[in-house]
Amino acid sequence: VAAVITLTTDFGTRDPYVAEMKAVILRLNPAVRLVDVTHDVAPHDVIEGGLAVETIAAVCARGTIHVAVVDPGVGTGRRGLVVAAGGQLFVGPDNGIFTAILALPDRQIFELRAPAYRLSTVSDTFHGRDVFGPAAAHLSLGVAPTSFGPSVADPVRVGWAASRQVGGGVEGEVIRVDRFGNLITSIDANTVERLSRAGGPVTVRVAGRRMPLVRTYGDLAAGRAGALVGSHGRLEVAVREGSAAARLRAGRGATVRLSRSTRTSMSSGRRRS
Amino acid sequence: VAAVITLTTDFGTRDPYVAEMKAVILRLNPAVRLVDVTHDVAPHDVIEGGLAVETIAAVCARGTIHVAVVDPGVGTGRRGLVVAAGGQLFVGPDNGIFTAILALPDRQIFELRAPAYRLSTVSDTFHGRDVFGPAAAHLSLGVAPTSFGPSVADPVRVGWAASRQVGGGVEGEVIRVDRFGNLITSIDANTVERLSRAGGPVTVRVAGRRMPLVRTYGDLAAGRAGALVGSHGRLEVAVREGSAAARLRAGRGATVRLSRSTRTSMSSGRRRS
Amino acid sequence: VAAVITLTTDFGTRDPYVAEMKAVILRLNPAVRLVDVTHDVAPHDVIEGGLAVETIAAVCARGTIHVAVVDPGVGTGRRGLVVAAGGQLFVGPDNGIFTAILALPDRQIFELRAPAYRLSTVSDTFHGRDVFGPAAAHLSLGVAPTSFGPSVADPVRVGWAASRQVGGGVEGEVIRVDRFGNLITSIDANTVERLSRAGGPVTVRVAGRRMPLVRTYGDLAAGRAGALVGSHGRLEVAVREGSAAARLRAGRGATVRLSRSTRTSMSSGRRRS
């Protein structure tokens, strides 16, 4: 069965952990297609892992199965989950990594308990290989989520960065810094569009700097900072052919303010950025 | 033929070397499934490469083909091998990388000589692409190991870290540090179990510190060091949500002692870790 | 349709960008085989990306489709291209990344314009996912390159390092440093062979050091520097079981001179390297 299983972990790619998960999955379903989302989630960073899952789910076909293993509680009493939501399936620990997915109105949540769908020997330290991988493989073979265990009413959720109205503008924060040094923020495209439609140019402030809102990297002069709606539908802060993180000395958690600009603040902002 | 070929190399993933191997394999068998074990073996580190092969072979199905290329002697007279052992096949240079596999009682070893199963032009510097990849592809198509060349009686073996009885305890060493900073040791699960069964709590000493033997990471208080039997059946030293390598300033080659603890040494150990 | 699509980008593997491209491709053609060439091209480095494409194309079967996305101009007016050349297909931005491919005599070049072969919504910042990935998927399903848009007569080309005759020798430059610290140069195998055939030993000079021309790494004493024709048909400078880049303190752009050696200069060179 040529289903797609995506893999998001904090295992890195230097150790054979990811390959062990894949070997177990392919043993159960040799036809499945495997897509690595990332294995470089910061160790134990459930929120970073959850953001990656949210991103990949947005572009995958119905029926895709997502395995996410950022699992500091492995071997303790924490539950394992299969979540059905938005026509896709999600498998991983019950530690908040699926917080964004659990917000979908149609989600159904089940505990991973059935011994038939895990390895016959389960280690205390590697449920990616022994529990979550096999569960995903069985789902790809057509096993129903309801077969794995009882329904779960109280899954763990973690704080998810959002944006809020502040005066005439919006305030959010940097939630991720990508490889290019772009600062991805918690302010979504709809919020940016609503503010833009209200009239007048919009300006963005991060780490004490003001910068213009543009459409794409190419609208900036080389080395200039600006903000734009990125490919994941979030406000991003970028420097043309450079790193905004390095230039602005800003990282995850930095406050980002979006507001309608006055002529004065914009020109001053341009001089500084 | 949808066989699985796993790839273990020291090529890194920045250069196109791994992709060249894969392209050559897929040209010969477009249906084969490829699994990257790791390409970040330290350059020329045959022992680290061999450990990765041993780990992945333990979870793969019968019939899996493993290619391992850590090959400082490429282009010299060193032989290439195909090893059949434990129902799986192994392809790579004859430099000790298969030392653990060669210890399996049923192994059969053949030299890679037949020109039919390598590229028509073989470079002096890249046998992964020109010799080992093609050999694996031909094996996946059903060519018998005996077809590649003569039987080999004296394959190269390298020193493999083991553990030894010392007084009432066992002494081994750190053989690998994983991404999380866990110290994987040469002491295997059976040895740990035998000592544990003898009665009384067991304590572990690494880099001048004593720490308890626990079942899983979650049994440790946050930031605490402990030892446990890891997912590969070896004693591991870990710090809960931290790096044991950094905390204990210990790396590969560090001595690890496992012994039945006295009440005194344990409590002192706890205070220090 | 089980075509092979290779992927060369500067996206890194920490962010989910590569996986988004793959998910989109697999949505359109679930049977396609994906091969990662590299995602660690230095950000925005069109020449490094182009070298990787040239390397992988040399070993791939006819019909292979190569997607290359190093794209600082994304969202501006720069065109997207599909190039048919040497029996393979190439998809990416029109920014010089295909300079080497465009030198093939049979190349045909078309602009990526047809809305039918891109996502229904195209972002301004991620054409890998929205334009180039879908184009490759449609090509793998049998859509003809001519269907994508008008023929292009003036594709962008960038300066490509070459070698030139200097006195009785040849001068080129380092174009890439690989993971092992080998210095890959712009001097090709034919040039080396022509000079060697002229008689007398050949010597290579890089960063003020002279070193011998050898056949393979194993011909060097441990820790010694030498030059050889590498697996990609280019002169490489290597240190046996060491890094030439570190030892010689040389990197991309360093001048490399190849000349017939006198007895004196060789022995002096040997003493120094």
Side-chain angles (χ1 to χ4, degrees):
Chain A
V1 187
V4 170
I5 296 180
T6 81
L7 303 172
T8 300
T9 76
D10 62 353
F11 296 166
T13 51
R14 195 171 62 84
D15 303 307
Y17 301 131
V18 172
E20 292 180 78
M21 278 186 71
K22 291 180 178 175
V24 165
I25 292 170
L26 288 172
R27 229 163 62 189
L28 291 165
N29 183 357
V32 85
R33 306 300 309 271
L34 297 167
V35 172
D36 298 298
V37 179
T38 177
H39 301 293
D40 292 326
V41 172
H44 313 307
D45 191 329
V46 166
I47 289 183
E48 191 181 312
L51 283 167
V53 173
E54 188 187 17
T55 299
I56 195 66
V59 296
C60 282
R62 286 183 70 81
T64 301
I65 300 157
H66 305 277
V67 184
V69 192
V70 178
D71 193 15
V74 62
T76 64
R78 72 101 190 84
R79 298 176 292 197
L81 299 180
V82 52
V83 180
Q88 302 181 344
L89 295 164
F90 302 82
V91 175
D94 180 23
N95 62 11
I97 196 166
F98 295 136
T99 300
I101 306 304
L102 293 171
L104 295 177
D106 69 340
R107 90 278 178 187
Q108 291 184 285
I109 314 162
F110 304 95
E111 192 178 345
L112 293 179
R113 273 217 210 146
Y117 304 129
R118 42 178 68 190
L119 295 194
S120 54
T121 308
V122 172
S123 73
D124 289 316
T125 55
F126 193 3
H127 286 194
R129 179 191 66 189
D130 304 341
V131 176
F132 303 126
H138 284 288
L139 286 167
S140 77
L141 291 165
V143 173
T146 49
S147 305
F148 286 81
S151 185
V152 172
D154 58 346
V156 173
R157 288 179 171 88
V158 291
W160 212 251
S163 61
R164 60 199 162 286
Q165 207 71 24
V166 173
V170 171
E171 190 174 279
E173 65 183 270
V174 174
I175 56 176
R176 197 164 64 83
V177 178
D178 78 6
R179 163 180 164 91
F180 299 92
N182 298 322
L183 309 173
I184 290 78
T185 78
S186 61
I187 303 173
D188 65 22
N190 292 337
T191 305
V192 176
E193 211 192 325
R194 212 164 43 234
L195 203 75
S196 300
R197 251 199 255 109
V202 168
T203 187
V204 174
R205 193 141 59 95
V206 188
R209 306 259 195 137
R210 279 203 183 76
M211 61 198 67
L213 182 71
V214 298
R215 198 180 48 83
T216 184
Y217 306 126
D219 291 344
L220 294 165
R224 286 297 195 159
L228 51 87
V229 173
S231 58
H232 304 130
R234 292 178 185 280
L235 187 75
E236 279 181 36
V237 175
V239 162
R240 171 89 185 266
E241 290 174 43
S243 162
R247 169 71 66 84
L248 306 174
R249 294 206 193 108
R252 193 164 146 183
T255 299
V256 180
R257 286 203 185 78
L258 188 68
S259 52
R260 250 158 305 136
S261 53
T262 63
R263 199 163 297 259
T264 324
S265 66
M266 266 307 290
S267 68
S268 124
R270 279 213 165 122
R271 243 179 274 124
R272 294 168 65 200
S273 72
Chain B
V1 187
V4 170
I5 295 179
T6 81
L7 303 172
T8 300
T9 77
D10 62 353
F11 295 168
T13 50
R14 194 172 61 85
D15 303 307
Y17 302 132
V18 172
E20 291 180 79
M21 278 186 72
K22 291 181 178 175
V24 166
I25 292 170
L26 288 172
R27 230 163 61 187
L28 291 165
N29 183 357
V32 85
R33 306 300 309 272
L34 297 167
V35 172
D36 298 298
V37 179
T38 177
H39 301 293
D40 291 326
V41 173
H44 313 308
D45 191 330
V46 166
I47 290 183
E48 191 181 312
L51 284 167
V53 173
E54 189 187 17
T55 299
I56 194 68
V59 296
C60 281
R62 285 183 71 80
T64 301
I65 299 157
H66 305 278
V67 184
V69 193
V70 178
D71 193 15
V74 62
T76 65
R78 72 101 188 85
R79 297 175 293 199
L81 299 180
V82 52
V83 181
Q88 302 182 342
L89 296 164
F90 302 82
V91 176
D94 180 23
N95 62 10
I97 196 166
F98 296 136
T99 299
I101 305 305
L102 293 170
L104 296 178
D106 69 340
R107 88 279 180 189
Q108 291 185 284
I109 314 162
F110 304 94
E111 191 177 344
L112 294 179
R113 273 217 210 146
Y117 305 128
R118 43 179 65 189
L119 295 195
S120 53
T121 307
V122 172
S123 73
D124 288 315
T125 54
F126 193 3
H127 286 193
R129 178 192 67 190
D130 303 341
V131 177
F132 303 125
H138 284 290
L139 287 167
S140 77
L141 291 165
V143 173
T146 50
S147 306
F148 285 81
S151 184
V152 172
D154 58 345
V156 173
R157 288 178 171 89
V158 291
W160 212 251
S163 60
R164 59 195 164 287
Q165 206 72 23
V166 173
V170 171
E171 189 173 280
E173 64 182 271
V174 174
I175 56 175
R176 198 164 65 82
V177 178
D178 79 5
R179 164 180 163 93
F180 299 92
N182 298 321
L183 309 173
I184 290 82
T185 79
S186 61
I187 302 173
D188 65 21
N190 291 337
T191 305
V192 177
E193 211 191 325
R194 212 164 44 233
L195 203 76
S196 301
R197 252 199 253 109
V202 168
T203 185
V204 174
R205 193 143 57 95
V206 188
R209 306 260 195 134
R210 278 201 184 80
M211 60 198 68
L213 181 71
V214 298
R215 200 179 46 82
T216 185
Y217 307 126
D219 291 344
L220 296 164
R224 286 295 195 160
L228 51 89
V229 174
S231 57
H232 303 129
R234 293 179 183 280
L235 187 75
E236 278 182 35
V237 175
V239 163
R240 171 88 187 268
E241 291 175 42
S243 163
R247 168 71 66 85
L248 306 173
R249 294 208 192 105
R252 192 165 146 183
T255 300
V256 180
R257 286 204 184 77
L258 187 69
S259 51
R260 249 158 305 133
S261 53
T262 62
R263 199 163 297 261
T264 325
S265 68
M266 265 309 290
S267 68
S268 124
R270 279 214 166 120
R271 242 179 276 122
R272 295 167 66 201
S273 72
Chain C
V1 187
V4 170
I5 296 179
T6 81
L7 304 172
T8 300
T9 76
D10 64 351
F11 296 167
T13 50
R14 195 172 61 84
D15 302 308
Y17 301 132
V18 172
E20 292 179 80
M21 277 186 72
K22 292 181 178 175
V24 166
I25 291 171
L26 289 172
R27 229 164 61 189
L28 291 165
N29 183 358
V32 86
R33 305 301 308 272
L34 298 166
V35 173
D36 298 298
V37 179
T38 177
H39 301 293
D40 292 326
V41 173
H44 313 307
D45 191 329
V46 166
I47 290 183
E48 191 181 312
L51 283 168
V53 173
E54 188 188 16
T55 299
I56 194 67
V59 296
C60 282
R62 285 183 71 81
T64 302
I65 300 157
H66 305 277
V67 184
V69 192
V70 178
D71 194 14
V74 63
T76 65
R78 73 100 190 87
R79 298 176 293 199
L81 299 181
V82 54
V83 181
Q88 302 181 344
L89 296 164
F90 302 83
V91 176
D94 180 22
N95 61 12
I97 196 165
F98 296 135
T99 299
I101 305 305
L102 293 170
L104 296 177
D106 69 340
R107 90 277 181 190
Q108 290 186 285
I109 314 161
F110 304 94
E111 192 178 344
L112 294 179
R113 273 218 209 144
Y117 304 128
R118 43 179 66 191
L119 295 194
S120 54
T121 307
V122 172
S123 74
D124 288 316
T125 55
F126 192 3
H127 286 193
R129 179 191 66 191
D130 303 342
V131 177
F132 303 126
H138 284 289
L139 286 167
S140 77
L141 291 166
V143 173
T146 50
S147 305
F148 286 81
S151 185
V152 172
D154 57 344
V156 174
R157 288 176 171 90
V158 291
W160 212 252
S163 61
R164 60 197 162 286
Q165 207 71 24
V166 173
V170 171
E171 190 174 280
E173 63 182 272
V174 174
I175 56 175
R176 199 164 63 83
V177 178
D178 79 4
R179 162 178 163 93
F180 299 92
N182 297 322
L183 309 173
I184 289 79
T185 78
S186 61
I187 302 174
D188 65 22
N190 292 337
T191 305
V192 177
E193 211 191 324
R194 212 163 44 231
L195 203 74
S196 302
R197 253 200 254 111
V202 168
T203 185
V204 174
R205 194 143 57 94
V206 188
R209 306 259 195 136
R210 280 202 182 77
M211 60 198 67
L213 182 70
V214 298
R215 199 179 47 82
T216 184
Y217 307 127
D219 292 344
L220 294 165
R224 287 295 193 160
L228 50 88
V229 173
S231 58
H232 303 129
R234 292 178 184 279
L235 187 76
E236 279 182 34
V237 175
V239 163
R240 172 89 186 268
E241 291 175 43
S243 163
R247 170 71 67 84
L248 306 173
R249 294 207 193 106
R252 191 164 147 184
T255 299
V256 180
R257 284 201 186 80
L258 187 69
S259 51
R260 250 159 306 137
S261 52
T262 63
R263 201 163 296 260
T264 325
S265 67
M266 266 308 291
S267 69
S268 122
R270 278 213 165 123
R271 243 179 276 123
R272 295 168 65 200
S273 74

